Amino acid sequence: MYSEKVMDHFKNPRNMGEIENASGVGTVGNAKCGDIMRMFLDIDDNGIIQDVKFKTFGCGAAVATSSMATELVKGKTIQEALEVTNKAVMEALDGLPPVKVHCSLLAEEAIHAALWDYAEKNGIKIDGLEKPKSDISEEEEDEEY
Amino acid sequence: MKKMIYLDNAATTRTAPEVVEAMLPYFTEYYGNASSIYEFGAKSKEAITKARETIANALGARDNEIYFTAGGSEADNWAIKATAEAYRDKGNHIITSKIEHHAVLHTCQYLEKNGFEVTYLDVDEQGMVKLEQLKAAIRPTTILITIMLANNEIGTIEPVAEIGKIAKEHGILFHTDAVQAFGQVPINVDEMNIDMLSASGHKLNGPKGIGFLYIRKGVKIRSFIHGGAQERKRRAGTENVTGIVGMGKAVELALSTMEERAARERELRDYLMSRILKEVPFSRVNGPRENRLPNNASFCFQFIEGESLLIMLDMGGICGSSGSACTSGSLDPSHVLLAIGLPHEIAHGSLRLTLGADTTKEDIDVTVEAVKKIVAKLREMSPLYEDFMKKNAKK
Ligand SMILES: Cc1ncc(COP(=O)(O)O)c(C=O)c1O
């Protein structure tokens, strides 16, 4: 079902984890539909993404797209990171099954959400970045088991 | 290669070597058409008759009440659609449950588009149909109750004898999908007042693509596949002789080993369930402890997603299944897990392990260790788990 690249990124996720005091953190998706991605960015004074980490709740494709997305933005400028689209992530993974394309969209949104958080924290505006729609709802996270 | 641990016997089973052996002569030696006049064709006919008798005996039925089909899905479709058509004059209402297999649910939905009305009964948190709700749902126009004997995902055995009694008292036909239950638990169509019953070969170590529908004598039911006069003119098509022979053999084996096998599987399954519950935090068992298929174990692990779990288990040579959205091809997790009241995010983290006659205690131990490691690894990756731990740390 999955390409070798997808399986590789699923089995050995790159940059999995969290960054304490990250410059920007973004979470997208919701538990209801089964995928949540969280991206942590460490951005230096020159606007270069020095480090990036992710955490993901979701299927094999969700883990692999998060992992690939972190590789594609690491060491890049903010503007370059903005250009990492879901298509780029999918291509880098040698494609995804049609039912999993939404996972790659989530990866793109997660990066944007983290950049938005960075911009807000620093009171700056990033050209071409719109407020990402995050459909995480607090109540859902509070579900008692 | 590492030894494979196959714990997906509810999906399908290994065809038993004895079954294959029984089938083989009917490919190359006795390949005659059972409808032919000559002696050679009669060989095939005899084999079909013998299989039919074996199956009828297993259910307490007569052999002219067993109709071979190409599997469980066909039997379900036939039972429901043909009853709806034949009894349309009497009414247009059908009662089923929310946790049926899609072969039943999608057939009912199809009928709804064609003027029928369907009540989908709720189940309790164990997956059990509520008899009071069933009684209340009956209308003068109700023509059919179709409720599964045992659920394929969470193993719940439904109170079929009680349902059959209620159906009989109201003069309503009762069909049951016994695809998971047949060969696992004792069934008697008279004692349980079952009018129609679906079963499938490949779930009980028989071949794939063969099954049957039991139809009680006197039930008006139209043929589903039109053509030749096979299966008492009710199901046309040259008989799948090898499949039928294989199914007969599989039923013979399953029935003769049932008690012993069920006891053994139940013990291993209970061991599996208690180890998982004890050793994996934030886990739960889906379905009841009693009234449960002997080989079915179903779990949910909080904060993780089922497909990732399955892929990682597969990397360790372990085959299981999940009701997560990602394994169903839709965005919703299993309708069964939602029907027992689980929230979406918990239903996404489900794992079904179904044992077989070959399953050993060692297999279970290896599997439990693998599940423990994988669940911990996926939680380490999970933003939900991170949030949960942070929230708890604050408290
Ligand atoms: C409860 C139930 N009904 C029907 C079926 C369909 O049977 P078959 O695969 O023989 O068409 C299955 C198998 O997946 C099942 O578990």
Side-chain angles (χ1 to χ4, degrees):
Chain A
M1 177 165 98
Y2 289 132
S3 72
E4 261 173 50
K5 277 241 178 86
V6 172
M7 284 306 290
D8 177 39
H9 276 262
F10 175 74
K11 286 183 196 172
N12 312 296
R14 328 289 202 260
N15 306 309
M16 201 278 288
E18 51 193 295
I19 298 175
E20 266 183 56
N21 304 317
S23 323
V25 182
T27 306
V28 296
N30 71 57
K32 200 164 178 243
C33 79
D35 290 305
I36 298 183
M37 283 183 200
R38 180 168 294 161
M39 288 278 174
F40 302 83
L41 297 177
D42 185 18
I43 301 173
D44 69 11
D45 296 340
N46 302 319
I48 307 285
I49 299 172
Q50 288 296 347
D51 198 9
V52 49
K53 290 264 193 288
F54 81 91
K55 283 203 172 181
T56 290
F57 163 89
C59 60
V63 173
T65 51
S66 325
S67 165
M68 180 55 89
T70 61
E71 287 221 305
L72 292 178
V73 301
K74 198 166 177 172
K76 301 281 166 65
T77 66
I78 290 170
Q79 276 309 320
E80 284 167 336
L82 268 182
E83 282 157 28
V84 173
T85 60
N86 79 304
K87 260 210 173 125
V89 174
M90 277 208 293
E91 271 165 26
L93 285 169
D94 294 339
L96 284 176
V99 292
K100 303 289 188 182
V101 171
H102 71 275
C103 295
S104 63
L105 278 167
L106 219 51
E108 178 187 320
E109 277 172 26
I111 295 168
H112 289 189
L115 287 172
W116 182 266
D117 181 49
Y118 165 75
E120 278 203 323
K121 275 182 185 157
N122 291 280
I124 55 171
K125 192 176 175 305
I126 298 174
D127 275 344
L129 180 65
E130 281 167 29
K131 187 173 167 59
K133 43 178 194 314
S134 157
D135 40 7
I136 282 272
S137 95
E138 281 300 320
E139 300 97 78
E140 262 167 18
E141 286 181 15
D142 276 347
E143 279 283 4
E144 278 301 317
Y145 191 43
Chain B
M1 204 185 112
K2 234 204 245 146
K3 182 186 164 232
M4 180 178 83
I5 298 180
Y6 185 76
L7 293 174
D8 203 13
N9 286 281
T12 196
T13 56
R14 172 173 187 248
T15 312
E18 298 93 320
V19 168
V20 176
E21 207 176 299
M23 291 167 73
L24 280 177
Y26 293 90
F27 283 105
T28 48
E29 272 176 71
Y30 310 120
Y31 54 83
N33 190 315
S35 305
S36 305
I37 287 293
Y38 37 79
E39 193 45 42
F40 183 52
K43 274 277 186 206
S44 302
K45 192 162 189 149
E46 268 165 39
I48 293 172
T49 304
K50 184 165 166 257
R52 205 187 302 279
E53 279 168 9
T54 305
I55 291 166
N57 285 338
L59 292 170
R62 277 146 296 201
D63 31 333
N64 59 8
E65 296 174 317
I66 305 296
Y67 298 85
F68 288 108
T69 66
S73 300
E74 184 191 321
D76 285 340
N77 271 260
W78 184 14
I80 299 168
K81 287 184 193 161
T83 306
E85 205 186 316
Y87 289 82
R88 179 130 213 188
D89 291 347
K90 197 182 158 229
N92 70 339
H93 181 234
I94 294 169
I95 301 174
T96 185
S97 83
K98 286 189 177 157
I99 62 163
E100 299 299 310
H101 190 269
H102 285 131
V104 168
L105 285 181
H106 289 167
T107 304
C108 287
Q109 284 157 9
Y110 164 81
L111 288 175
E112 276 182 293
K113 287 198 202 109
N114 288 281
F116 285 85
E117 287 170 19
V118 182
T119 301
Y120 300 90
L121 297 177
D122 294 322
V123 293
D124 67 15
E125 61 280 4
Q126 313 287 9
M128 207 72 87
V129 165
K130 300 167 185 165
L131 296 175
E132 286 313 310
Q133 204 193 2
L134 167 66
K135 283 185 205 158
I138 292 173
R139 308 176 191 169
T141 52
T142 307
I143 52 173
L144 176 70
I145 297 173
T146 171
I147 289 174
M148 65 200 328
L149 218 151
N151 182 267
N152 45 309
E153 288 188 41
I154 59 172
T156 310
I157 299 174
E158 299 296 337
V160 162
E162 285 86 344
I163 296 168
K165 191 157 166 269
I166 294 168
K168 191 173 182 190
E169 281 164 9
H170 290 81
I172 300 166
L173 290 179
F174 175 41
H175 164 254
T176 189
D177 175 338
V179 169
Q180 291 291 337
F182 186 49
Q184 297 264 19
V185 296
I187 303 174
N188 182 295
V189 288
D190 285 343
E191 283 166 18
M192 297 174 157
N193 286 307
I194 295 166
D195 295 309
M196 288 174 277
L197 176 146
S198 309
S200 180
H202 71 102
K203 308 283 188 188
L204 65 162
N205 303 101
K208 295 169 179 62
I210 183 75
F212 67 84
L213 179 64
Y214 156 80
I215 309 175
R216 180 178 293 283
K217 193 162 182 285
V219 171
K220 262 198 298 182
I221 185 167
R222 310 253 169 102
S223 56
F224 190 52
I225 308 281
H226 299 274
Q230 294 91 352
E231 300 298 292
R232 300 159 52 79
K233 296 195 191 139
R234 279 172 155 182
R235 204 280 186 184
T238 300
E239 296 88 344
N240 175 359
V241 182
T242 48
I244 291 170
V245 168
M247 173 114 201
K249 188 70 192 178
V251 171
E252 182 193 317
L253 292 173
L255 266 285
S256 65
T257 59
M258 185 153 66
E259 227 172 289
E260 201 185 322
R261 182 167 35 94
R264 191 177 163 276
E265 286 177 357
R266 207 173 281 126
E267 194 183 324
L268 279 178
R269 179 207 61 195
D270 289 346
Y271 171 68
L272 167 65
M273 296 201 301
S274 66
R275 272 202 70 184
I276 293 277
L277 281 183
K278 214 180 298 153
E279 298 175 40
V280 184
F282 310 110
S283 61
R284 59 163 277 146
V285 161
N286 305 313
R289 287 311 189 94
E290 304 295 321
N291 292 321
R292 174 181 200 112
L293 286 177
N295 73 340
N296 173 293
S298 169
F299 306 97
C300 279
F301 302 104
Q302 220 178 336
F303 316 117
I304 66 160
E305 195 278 332
E307 191 203 81
S308 291
L309 174 59
L310 290 188
I311 301 176
M312 287 194 180
L313 280 172
D314 184 36
M315 280 151 51
I318 300 165
C319 307
S321 89
S322 170
S324 89
C326 287
T327 57
S328 70
S330 80
L331 284 183
D332 280 326
S334 135
H335 63 285
V336 177
L337 298 175
L338 296 180
I340 61 171
L342 296 184
H344 276 70
E345 55 272 38
I346 288 173
H348 281 300
S350 72
L351 173 68
R352 179 187 73 181
L353 299 173
T354 42
L355 285 54
D358 303 337
T359 309
T360 63
K361 182 148 183 281
E362 198 200 337
D363 292 342
I364 301 292
D365 285 326
V366 172
T367 303
V368 172
E369 292 306 325
V371 168
K372 275 162 67 176
K373 263 194 219 114
I374 294 167
V375 169
K377 185 170 171 190
L378 288 172
R379 281 185 180 154
E380 206 181 298
M381 260 194 226
S382 166
L384 292 176
Y385 190 60
E386 179 191 324
D387 292 346
F388 175 81
M389 294 310 276
K390 283 192 178 146
K391 208 182 284 175
N392 269 19
K394 266 188 233 149
K395 274 180 195 164

